[in-house]
């Protein structure tokens, strides 16, 4: 580990932020982006994330969108947001923390946990910027994920 964060966790953060950026640009639910990539590309992105960090993000988004034939969708959670729109990095961090918790609890790698989380019910809640879910504390989000619904506060 160098710096404040484990390298693999930082790579996961980058990939989650990249998924968010592609989802916003193509107006797709984030699971559409994840499923277009598939497990092999998710693993590849995680493996090379430290290299992709230095790439031009817009170019990388365009290249991946084209390579994986990610269509334009109609899901525009940014335009629908009535409040301050969280950055792609804010959302990347939320997903990263949840994926790490799922990975550790289930004993699976980050790529498998990533696909599981983005294809679960909670992704719809996290991607609704008018809900409070994305800015709840990480343990609340994880426990809600396990429960299959938001917990009562």
């Amino acid at each position: 580990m160098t710096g404040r964060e484990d390298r693999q966790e930082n790579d996961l953060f980058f990939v989650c932020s990249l998924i968010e950026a592609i989802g916003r640009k193509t107006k797709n639910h984030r699971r559409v982006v994840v499923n277009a990539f598939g497990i092999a590309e998710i693993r590849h992105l995680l493996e090379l994330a430290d290299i992709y960090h230095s790439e031009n993000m817009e170019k990388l988004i365009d290249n991946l969108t084209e390579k994986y034939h990610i269509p334009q969708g109609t899901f525009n959670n940014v335009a629908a947001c009535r409040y301050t729109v969280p950055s792609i990095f804010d959302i990347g961090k939320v997903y990263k923390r949840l994926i790490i918790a799922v990975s550790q609890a289930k004993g699976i790698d980050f790529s498998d946990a990533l696909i599981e989380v983005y294809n679960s019910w909670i992704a719809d809640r996290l991607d609704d910027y008018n809900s409070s879910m994305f800015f709840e504390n990480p343990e609340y989000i994880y426990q809600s994920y396990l429960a299959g619904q938001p917990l009562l506060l």
Side-chain angles (χ1 to χ4, degrees):
M1 181 163 130
T2 56
R4 296 179 353 170
E5 188 172 56
D6 176 80
R7 185 183 147 261
Q8 288 181 318
E9 290 180 9
N10 191 48
D11 292 345
L12 176 62
F13 165 66
F14 175 79
V15 170
C16 291
S17 300
L18 179 63
I19 290 165
E20 180 65 20
I22 292 170
R24 287 183 187 192
K25 186 164 185 175
T26 63
K27 295 182 176 50
N28 278 298
H29 288 274
R30 304 330 177 232
R31 73 175 48 89
V32 171
V33 176
V34 167
N35 294 334
F37 286 160
I39 191 71
E41 181 62 17
I42 294 296
R43 286 191 173 119
H44 178 75
L45 288 170
L46 287 167
E47 185 178 313
L48 297 178
D50 58 329
I51 295 168
Y52 290 137
H53 278 282
S54 60
E55 291 271 333
N56 176 300
M57 185 72 123
E58 286 299 315
K59 180 181 176 188
L60 182 58
I61 290 166
D62 288 344
N63 288 346
L64 291 171
T65 300
E66 184 178 314
K67 180 177 180 181
Y68 290 95
H69 309 288
I70 301 171
Q72 279 297 309
T74 60
F75 178 68
N76 194 345
N77 58 345
V78 172
C81 186
R82 298 185 308 252
Y83 310 107
T84 302
V85 176
S87 74
I88 62 169
F89 303 112
D90 293 334
I91 298 301
K93 185 169 277 191
V94 170
Y95 273 104
K96 176 200 84 165
R97 289 175 177 159
L98 178 56
I99 290 163
I100 290 169
V102 169
S103 172
Q104 290 172 346
K106 292 190 169 193
I108 59 177
D109 66 23
F110 286 165
S111 55
D112 290 326
L114 183 149
I115 289 177
E116 181 177 318
V117 166
Y118 276 98
N119 282 289
S120 73
W121 71 273
I122 206 163
D124 291 329
R125 292 294 181 106
L126 294 174
D127 294 342
D128 178 358
Y129 301 154
N130 294 316
S131 80
S132 64
M133 184 61 83
F134 73 87
F135 66 85
E136 295 290 350
N137 76 57
E139 185 62 21
Y140 173 84
I141 293 171
Y142 176 63
Q143 291 301 322
S144 293
Y145 173 81
L146 291 177
Q149 64 184 13
L151 300 174
L152 297 176
L153 293 175

